Each structure stands twice: as C-alpha cells, then as structure tokens.
Amino acid sequence: MPKKRVVLAVHGGAGIILRSALTPEMESEYRSALQDALSAGYAVLNRSGRDDDVTISNSGHQEDVATDAVEAAVRCMEDCSLFNAGNGSVFAHDGHIRCDASIMSCSFDKAVYDNRDVSCDKAEEDDIISSDKESSITTCHQIIQKRRYPKTPHPQAGAIAGVTNIQNPISLAKAVMKHTPHVMLIGKGAEDFAKQLPKEARVEFQPDQYFWTERRWKQLVNVRESEKEEQQKQQQQIMKVQLDHSSTTQQEEGSDVVCDKKFGTVGCIALYQPDANDNTYQLASATSTGGMTNQRYHRVGDSPIIGAGTYANHLCAISCTGHGEWFLRCVAAHDIAKRLEYKHGYDGTSSATNNTLLKKALDEVVFGTLMSEDHAGEQGGDGGAIVLDKDGNFAADMNCPGMYHGWVYEDGEMETSIFWDERVTKQ
C-alpha cells in the first residue's frame, strides 16, 4: 500500500512541555486547537482556493493556493488565546504587545525544469562581442540573458515585525508579499500600510483590550518581580525574558539575560498539487509570534526573518519554533532546505518515497547546528521545526521535551503530537 502524502502541517510552539505539567483537559484543548487549524488550512487546499477572498495583488504575483492555506491555518491559531500569536500574544517590558510574522511560497513546474537549456555557446557570445566594438551595456545584457536559467523557481515572500493592534499579523505579511515590491515592513510603517489595504486583504485592527489576557499579564508581572529580585541579589542590571511552554530558568553565560525556556510561535507548511499526475505544484510556509515576555528595545526574533524561522522553495517548506536568537544565527530554516538539496541530493528532478532525507537534513540542524556550543561553552538553540517536501513527505522534530504540532494527509486524516515520546510511534 503506497504511503499517503501529507499536504499540510502546523505547530504551536516548542519547549519544556511535560505530561506532568499539562492536565488532560489542557492537553485536549491544545490538540483540538491544532485540529481546528489543520481543518482551516485543509479546507482551502480541498476547494482549491478560498471562497471568501480575492487576490489583491496587481503586481503580477501568481495566485497561490498553498499560500492561502497556510494563511488560513495560522489565522486560526492567531485567533486562539492558547498560542503566543495574535490574540494570545505575550507582553513586552513596556506593557505593549508587538507581533511578528512572515510567509513564503514557491510555485514550480517540473516539466519546464527538466527541459531547460542552459548551454552556453561561446561562439555565439564571441559574435555578439565582436559586433559591438565599444562593449556597450546592451552587449553585456545580451550575454547575461544567454546564460540565464529560464523558468528558474522564483519564491515570493512577505514579512512584518513589531506591529501593534493587528488581529492577524500573518495576513499583513501576506499583503506585503502580494501587494508591494518589498519583502519586510516594520512598526509604524507596516501599520500605515495596513490602513491602506482593501477589505479583501482581511487585515483588521483591534483595540488593546482584544489582546489582553490575564494569563499573559501575570507572566509579565512574575518576570518583572523575578528580575527585580535578581537585580537586588547581584547588584547589577538584569534583563529577564520569558518564552512560552515551560518554566525552567537559565542564566546565559557572559550575559545579564535570564531566560525561562519557553518558545511560543505558531506556524504552518503546505503542499498544493492540482492533479497528482500534474508536474505543477506549490509549497508555502508561514510563521507568526508575539515574541518573548518582557522583551525590550523592540527585540525581533527569527519568526519574521526569511531563512531563519520561515522558508519555502521548490523542494520543501519549513517553519521553526524555538529560541529565536539561535535560529537567527544559524539561519536554521534555510540551512535545513540547503542540506536537503546539496548534501542529500534531493532536487527538482528526483522523487522521494519516504521522509528519510528530510529527517536527515532536519536532525542535522535541530540536533547539530542549533545545539553547538558558543564561545563560553553554552549550548543553545532549544526548539524544533516542521518540514514538508514536494513529494508529500513530512518530518517534525525538537531538541526539547515537546512541541505542539499536527499534520493532515491528502485524504483529510489528521494526527497531532505534543510530547517527545510520541515521535517514536508517529510519522
């Protein structure tokens, strides 16, 4: 019996997530929320496009069903207060909530890739050069075009950082991708852009009260109090921050920052192929976060950075969650994709019948690059990632006790996973 393809997967953050600390009721709530997000994304893939939205782009970007699917799934998680994104975002040191998000997609036609002609005819180039004694810029461009790979896959990307009062940051990131020539907008500029968008973009502002939750406010109060105690003990300035999904405290060597090891982010990856026998397919990835509790100076992590927390090309789509600074330093998502292609030989002309290569590339980064020691001998990079390739092979892993995640097969069957030991029996 052939293995079923995975077409969409989500995550809701990683960290020290233990069965002993999660009641059966809370576990059920998280799994239900993951299934809601999977259903939202799968519904878009299943009907080959969204029924309540139209493309707002006038810049020539191709409509991408996979992009709509990851947006729908992430919007669902942003509207759920369980996750650190949108409605459930954490508070920064100044008591404000600032959100980051990014989205990336790539459409690909394997037939065009297989039939491309990249031969460079030196005699033809010499004829062009000899006909132009002045070596004009026109001649240069003619030769460049002769050497150019035709129909090379061209990913699209959009990102926003440090925005306030945006109900669904992922939709604003998508609007940047679809409706501007830019990739990333930040702060007030991104908010000003949001105000100009048409209703069809589904980018809505909400008052501060919409984002306020007692649980998140208590987290900020507790971190501030702990920070104050540390300052009194050590008689020096302490900057304490907290991420999501754990309570283990760590003092970073050579730094005044104490981190509670919690990693709150949401993300989704999707594969869309109009026909199983069709050579055309689309891959997309999206990631959204509220950052870290008590973060200062408008800190930005890996989630809105293309290549660090989010990446998609013609081979795979990746969304990461974890200690953002380490994922930024390692350019983690991009590293996974390029290891898959360059080291393990997975390219646009090959097919994989299982996730062996995907797992190798993922594990080399999650358990290798991210966990390398810094100059002080400190290990970092706690977190995980979800990865989906063009053949519907899926892999997820984490170097911490748990990660909220789930995936849906092409027939609609869903699975969810939270705890470390579940990975042994699933995937």
Side-chain angles (χ1 to χ4, degrees), residues 119-133:
S119 59
C120 180
D121 190 331
K122 188 176 185 306
E124 189 176 2
E125 286 188 11
D126 290 342
D127 288 342
I128 295 173
I129 294 172
S130 62
S131 65
D132 182 8
K133 302 300 184 183

Side-chain angles (χ1 to χ4, degrees), residues 187-294:
K188 186 178 181 300
E191 294 163 13
D192 289 343
F193 167 67
K195 293 172 183 176
Q196 300 175 19
L197 290 168
K199 183 178 180 180
E200 291 79 9
R202 302 195 302 171
V203 176
E204 299 178 3
F205 283 81
Q206 296 291 348
D208 290 343
Q209 292 85 344
Y210 171 83
F211 300 91
W212 193 95
T213 59
E214 184 176 4
R215 178 170 67 104
R216 296 305 193 191
W217 184 254
K218 284 183 177 179
Q219 287 178 349
L220 177 61
V221 171
N222 290 339
V223 174
R224 282 175 171 174
E225 290 176 352
S226 180
E227 181 181 73
K228 187 176 181 180
E229 292 175 2
E230 290 289 337
Q231 288 175 351
Q232 292 173 347
K233 287 180 182 179
Q234 300 187 29
Q235 297 296 308
Q236 63 178 327
Q237 180 68 29
I238 298 292
M239 290 170 52
K240 190 170 186 180
V241 293
Q242 177 176 293
L243 299 96
D244 240 12
H245 309 322
S246 100
S247 58
T248 300
T249 301
Q250 164 189 332
Q251 175 77 46
E252 292 192 358
E253 204 62 43
S255 138
D256 292 332
V257 179
V258 180
C259 297
D260 282 352
K261 300 173 81 174
K262 303 180 177 182
F263 314 110
T265 308
V266 303
C268 179
I269 50 181
L271 165 68
Y272 174 69
Q273 192 170 12
D275 187 322
N277 298 316
D278 195 342
N279 286 317
T280 301
Y281 58 88
Q282 302 163 340
L283 283 158
S285 173
T287 312
S288 181
T289 188
M292 299 160 60
T293 298
N294 204 40

